[in-house]
Amino acid sequence: MASYRSGLLCAIMFLAIHGGWAQTSDTISNACSNALYTHFCVSSLSKASGALEADLTQLSVIAVRLSSEVAKPVSRFIEKLKKRNPNVSALEDCSDLLKDTREQLHDSQSELKQLSNVNFMEYVEDVLTRLSGVETNQDTCLSGLKESNIPATLVSSVKDNTDNLTMLISDALAVVSTLRQQGHI
């Protein structure tokens, strides 16, 4: 019995030390509770720098920042595809949509950093509107690619590269929605 407990204790310590269990906070759990991808939301935010100590407003900024960080390499990937496939106009559309996504995420992050009690609801509503818009950009990109009769492997490749971005944006939207529901900074 002692050997079993000792082995169990070693396994628990190994998982804790090597990241088998991500630490999380009540704020992260609360912020992600209404997310479409709840586990992904908790996992990605728990790993983000400063998130474990963050309040809900700071967590909103972090969630949008994570989306923005992932949007950059996705945008570069689309640009490379566009250069290799110059006759596929749908890739140009995808590129434009990702540029818009990056701009809107940047603006959202800036606006969240400037929240105060005076402009709280106005800014949060603006951010929610932006995030709702950019959430559809990846779907619009994929739909355009499917309609342009390009090889399914290319569409699949774009989808694989946009999936995490789509989930992060959805999660950021959920976190900012939680901030709005709580109605304070």
Side-chain angles (χ1 to χ4, degrees):
M1 185 70 162
S3 171
Y4 172 75
R5 284 186 186 156
S6 175
L8 184 59
L9 181 60
C10 285
I12 291 170
M13 288 176 60
F14 177 82
L15 288 171
I17 291 169
H18 296 288
W21 288 322
Q23 262 191 313
T24 190
S25 71
D26 289 342
T27 305
I28 291 173
S29 296
N30 176 46
C32 293
S33 64
N34 295 320
L36 185 59
Y37 310 101
T38 306
H39 180 71
F40 185 79
C41 181
V42 170
S43 176
S44 58
L45 285 176
S46 295
K47 295 174 188 171
S49 175
L52 293 175
E53 302 83 28
D55 63 25
L56 192 52
T57 302
Q58 295 163 332
L59 210 53
S60 296
V61 174
I62 292 168
V64 173
R65 185 192 76 221
L66 289 174
S67 299
S68 187
E69 288 171 356
V70 169
K72 188 183 280 188
V74 171
S75 185
R76 282 194 301 259
F77 173 76
I78 296 295
E79 287 300 315
K80 286 179 185 175
L81 284 180
K82 194 172 79 169
K83 287 178 183 172
R84 287 188 219 141
N85 303 277
N87 297 327
V88 179
S89 63
L91 284 171
E92 182 67 38
D93 294 341
C94 286
S95 177
D96 291 343
L97 288 164
L98 275 157
K99 285 177 190 171
D100 177 62
T101 294
R102 290 180 63 197
E103 288 172 16
Q104 296 297 329
L105 289 170
H106 178 267
D107 291 347
S108 295
Q109 189 174 351
S110 296
E111 211 158 1
L112 286 167
K113 286 180 181 178
Q114 297 175 16
L115 283 181
S116 71
N117 287 324
V118 175
N119 59 17
F120 177 82
M121 276 302 185
E122 178 185 343
Y123 276 23
V124 169
E125 291 299 329
D126 287 349
V127 169
L128 287 170
T129 300
R130 277 195 196 98
L131 291 175
S132 293
V134 299
E135 188 177 32
T136 64
N137 284 353
Q138 285 63 243
D139 288 336
T140 303
C141 166
L142 290 170
S143 294
L145 289 172
K146 289 174 186 173
E147 290 172 10
S148 67
N149 296 321
I150 63 169
T153 55
L154 187 60
V155 176
S156 179
S157 180
V158 171
K159 183 181 180 326
D160 289 347
N161 277 273
T162 60
D163 279 350
N164 278 351
L165 177 59
T166 300
M167 290 190 298
L168 284 168
I169 292 169
S170 175
D171 291 343
L173 187 58
V175 173
V176 176
S177 292
T178 301
L179 178 65
R180 178 185 60 187
Q181 289 169 359
Q182 298 207 354
H184 59 72
I185 299 178

